[in-house]
mmCIF file of all heavy atoms in Angstrom:
data_model
loop_
_atom_site.group_PDB
_atom_site.id
_atom_site.type_symbol
_atom_site.label_atom_id
_atom_site.label_comp_id
_atom_site.label_asym_id
_atom_site.label_seq_id
_atom_site.Cartn_x
_atom_site.Cartn_y
_atom_site.Cartn_z
ATOM 1 N N LYS A 333 61.179 9.225 -26.011
ATOM 2 C CA LYS A 333 60.792 10.303 -26.935
ATOM 3 C C LYS A 333 61.877 10.503 -27.988
ATOM 4 O O LYS A 333 61.597 10.614 -29.192
ATOM 5 C CB LYS A 333 60.561 11.586 -26.147
ATOM 6 C CG LYS A 333 60.025 12.731 -26.968
ATOM 7 C CD LYS A 333 59.761 13.938 -26.085
ATOM 8 C CE LYS A 333 59.252 15.115 -26.883
ATOM 9 N NZ LYS A 333 59.008 16.291 -26.050
ATOM 10 N N GLU A 334 63.124 10.524 -27.536
ATOM 11 C CA GLU A 334 64.255 10.693 -28.462
ATOM 12 C C GLU A 334 64.334 9.500 -29.429
ATOM 13 O O GLU A 334 64.570 9.676 -30.618
ATOM 14 C CB GLU A 334 65.553 10.824 -27.670
ATOM 15 C CG GLU A 334 66.773 11.038 -28.548
ATOM 16 C CD GLU A 334 68.051 11.160 -27.751
ATOM 17 O OE1 GLU A 334 68.011 11.180 -26.508
ATOM 18 O OE2 GLU A 334 69.101 11.241 -28.381
ATOM 19 N N ASN A 335 64.111 8.306 -28.913
ATOM 20 C CA ASN A 335 64.147 7.110 -29.752
ATOM 21 C C ASN A 335 63.076 7.170 -30.840
ATOM 22 O O ASN A 335 63.320 6.849 -31.994
ATOM 23 C CB ASN A 335 63.964 5.863 -28.884
ATOM 24 C CG ASN A 335 64.254 4.582 -29.608
ATOM 25 O OD1 ASN A 335 65.032 4.564 -30.553
ATOM 26 N ND2 ASN A 335 63.613 3.499 -29.196
ATOM 27 N N SER A 336 61.908 7.620 -30.466
ATOM 28 C CA SER A 336 60.808 7.759 -31.431
ATOM 29 C C SER A 336 61.180 8.767 -32.518
ATOM 30 O O SER A 336 60.959 8.527 -33.701
ATOM 31 C CB SER A 336 59.545 8.197 -30.705
ATOM 32 O OG SER A 336 58.515 8.437 -31.618
ATOM 33 N N ARG A 337 61.746 9.893 -32.120
ATOM 34 C CA ARG A 337 62.146 10.919 -33.075
ATOM 35 C C ARG A 337 63.223 10.392 -34.029
ATOM 36 O O ARG A 337 63.161 10.605 -35.242
ATOM 37 C CB ARG A 337 62.688 12.167 -32.344
ATOM 38 C CG ARG A 337 63.095 13.315 -33.274
ATOM 39 C CD ARG A 337 63.673 14.482 -32.525
ATOM 40 N NE ARG A 337 64.787 14.154 -31.660
ATOM 41 C CZ ARG A 337 66.054 14.018 -32.084
ATOM 42 N NH1 ARG A 337 66.360 14.197 -33.345
ATOM 43 N NH2 ARG A 337 67.030 13.738 -31.225
ATOM 44 N N LEU A 338 64.179 9.650 -33.485
ATOM 45 C CA LEU A 338 65.244 9.102 -34.328
ATOM 46 C C LEU A 338 64.710 8.072 -35.317
ATOM 47 O O LEU A 338 65.174 7.986 -36.471
ATOM 48 C CB LEU A 338 66.344 8.487 -33.460
ATOM 49 C CG LEU A 338 67.166 9.487 -32.636
ATOM 50 C CD1 LEU A 338 68.063 8.769 -31.652
ATOM 51 C CD2 LEU A 338 67.981 10.388 -33.548
ATOM 52 N N LYS A 339 63.734 7.285 -34.889
ATOM 53 C CA LYS A 339 63.128 6.322 -35.811
ATOM 54 C C LYS A 339 62.410 7.043 -36.949
ATOM 55 O O LYS A 339 62.485 6.601 -38.104
ATOM 56 C CB LYS A 339 62.143 5.420 -35.056
ATOM 57 C CG LYS A 339 62.832 4.354 -34.217
ATOM 58 C CD LYS A 339 61.798 3.506 -33.501
ATOM 59 C CE LYS A 339 62.463 2.429 -32.660
ATOM 60 N NZ LYS A 339 61.500 1.579 -31.951
ATOM 61 N N GLN A 340 61.730 8.120 -36.620
ATOM 62 C CA GLN A 340 61.045 8.900 -37.653
ATOM 63 C C GLN A 340 62.053 9.484 -38.645
ATOM 64 O O GLN A 340 61.834 9.436 -39.857
ATOM 65 C CB GLN A 340 60.220 10.023 -37.036
ATOM 66 C CG GLN A 340 58.980 9.543 -36.323
ATOM 67 C CD GLN A 340 58.246 10.680 -35.626
ATOM 68 O OE1 GLN A 340 58.754 11.794 -35.512
ATOM 69 N NE2 GLN A 340 57.036 10.372 -35.138
ATOM 70 N N GLU A 341 63.156 10.023 -38.130
ATOM 71 C CA GLU A 341 64.195 10.571 -39.001
ATOM 72 C C GLU A 341 64.776 9.503 -39.892
ATOM 73 O O GLU A 341 65.006 9.716 -41.095
ATOM 74 C CB GLU A 341 65.286 11.225 -38.161
ATOM 75 C CG GLU A 341 64.870 12.513 -37.479
ATOM 76 C CD GLU A 341 65.948 13.082 -36.590
ATOM 77 O OE1 GLU A 341 67.086 12.536 -36.548
ATOM 78 O OE2 GLU A 341 65.689 14.093 -35.916
ATOM 79 N N ARG A 342 65.000 8.337 -39.338
ATOM 80 C CA ARG A 342 65.543 7.205 -40.124
ATOM 81 C C ARG A 342 64.583 6.842 -41.243
ATOM 82 O O ARG A 342 64.996 6.643 -42.397
ATOM 83 C CB ARG A 342 65.772 6.008 -39.212
ATOM 84 C CG ARG A 342 66.316 4.783 -39.946
ATOM 85 C CD ARG A 342 66.045 3.495 -39.239
ATOM 86 N NE ARG A 342 64.611 3.302 -39.085
ATOM 87 C CZ ARG A 342 64.072 2.474 -38.180
ATOM 88 N NH1 ARG A 342 64.835 1.815 -37.355
ATOM 89 N NH2 ARG A 342 62.774 2.332 -38.103
ATOM 90 N N ASP A 343 63.299 6.763 -40.919
ATOM 91 C CA ASP A 343 62.306 6.393 -41.930
ATOM 92 C C ASP A 343 62.240 7.436 -43.040
ATOM 93 O O ASP A 343 62.113 7.090 -44.225
ATOM 94 C CB ASP A 343 60.934 6.211 -41.285
ATOM 95 C CG ASP A 343 60.865 4.984 -40.378
ATOM 96 O OD1 ASP A 343 61.739 4.104 -40.516
ATOM 97 O OD2 ASP A 343 59.957 4.905 -39.534
ATOM 98 N N ILE A 344 62.334 8.711 -42.675
ATOM 99 C CA ILE A 344 62.319 9.786 -43.675
ATOM 100 C C ILE A 344 63.534 9.657 -44.589
ATOM 101 O O ILE A 344 63.437 9.774 -45.803
ATOM 102 C CB ILE A 344 62.277 11.170 -42.996
ATOM 103 C CG1 ILE A 344 60.909 11.381 -42.349
ATOM 104 C CG2 ILE A 344 62.586 12.288 -43.983
ATOM 105 C CD1 ILE A 344 60.843 12.590 -41.442
ATOM 106 N N LEU A 345 64.695 9.380 -44.013
ATOM 107 C CA LEU A 345 65.908 9.232 -44.815
ATOM 108 C C LEU A 345 65.828 8.027 -45.738
ATOM 109 O O LEU A 345 66.292 8.060 -46.876
ATOM 110 C CB LEU A 345 67.140 9.135 -43.906
ATOM 111 C CG LEU A 345 67.517 10.424 -43.188
ATOM 112 C CD1 LEU A 345 68.632 10.183 -42.177
ATOM 113 C CD2 LEU A 345 67.957 11.478 -44.193
ATOM 114 N N LYS A 346 65.232 6.933 -45.260
ATOM 115 C CA LYS A 346 65.049 5.758 -46.118
ATOM 116 C C LYS A 346 64.193 6.100 -47.332
ATOM 117 O O LYS A 346 64.522 5.710 -48.460
ATOM 118 C CB LYS A 346 64.378 4.619 -45.341
ATOM 119 C CG LYS A 346 65.290 3.845 -44.452
ATOM 120 C CD LYS A 346 64.483 2.687 -43.837
ATOM 121 C CE LYS A 346 65.318 1.857 -42.886
ATOM 122 N NZ LYS A 346 64.536 0.756 -42.299
ATOM 123 N N LYS A 347 63.101 6.829 -47.083
ATOM 124 C CA LYS A 347 62.204 7.194 -48.169
ATOM 125 C C LYS A 347 62.910 8.144 -49.145
ATOM 126 O O LYS A 347 62.718 8.048 -50.361
ATOM 127 C CB LYS A 347 60.941 7.849 -47.618
ATOM 128 C CG LYS A 347 60.038 6.861 -46.914
ATOM 129 C CD LYS A 347 58.844 7.556 -46.307
ATOM 130 C CE LYS A 347 57.982 6.558 -45.522
ATOM 131 N NZ LYS A 347 56.854 7.197 -44.868
ATOM 132 N N ALA A 348 63.700 9.054 -48.632
ATOM 133 C CA ALA A 348 64.412 9.993 -49.483
ATOM 134 C C ALA A 348 65.430 9.261 -50.372
ATOM 135 O O ALA A 348 65.553 9.573 -51.571
ATOM 136 C CB ALA A 348 65.128 11.043 -48.626
ATOM 137 N N VAL A 349 66.118 8.285 -49.816
ATOM 138 C CA VAL A 349 67.079 7.514 -50.604
ATOM 139 C C VAL A 349 66.362 6.743 -51.695
ATOM 140 O O VAL A 349 66.802 6.713 -52.854
ATOM 141 C CB VAL A 349 67.905 6.561 -49.681
ATOM 142 C CG1 VAL A 349 68.673 5.534 -50.497
ATOM 143 C CG2 VAL A 349 68.854 7.361 -48.816
#
Side-chain angles (χ1 to χ4, degrees):
K333 186 176 178 180
E334 182 180 355
N335 191 28
S336 175
R337 182 183 55 82
L338 291 171
K339 285 180 180 180
Q340 288 176 349
E341 289 176 4
R342 179 203 60 201
D343 291 342
I344 290 170
L345 289 172
K346 280 184 181 180
K347 289 177 184 178
V349 167

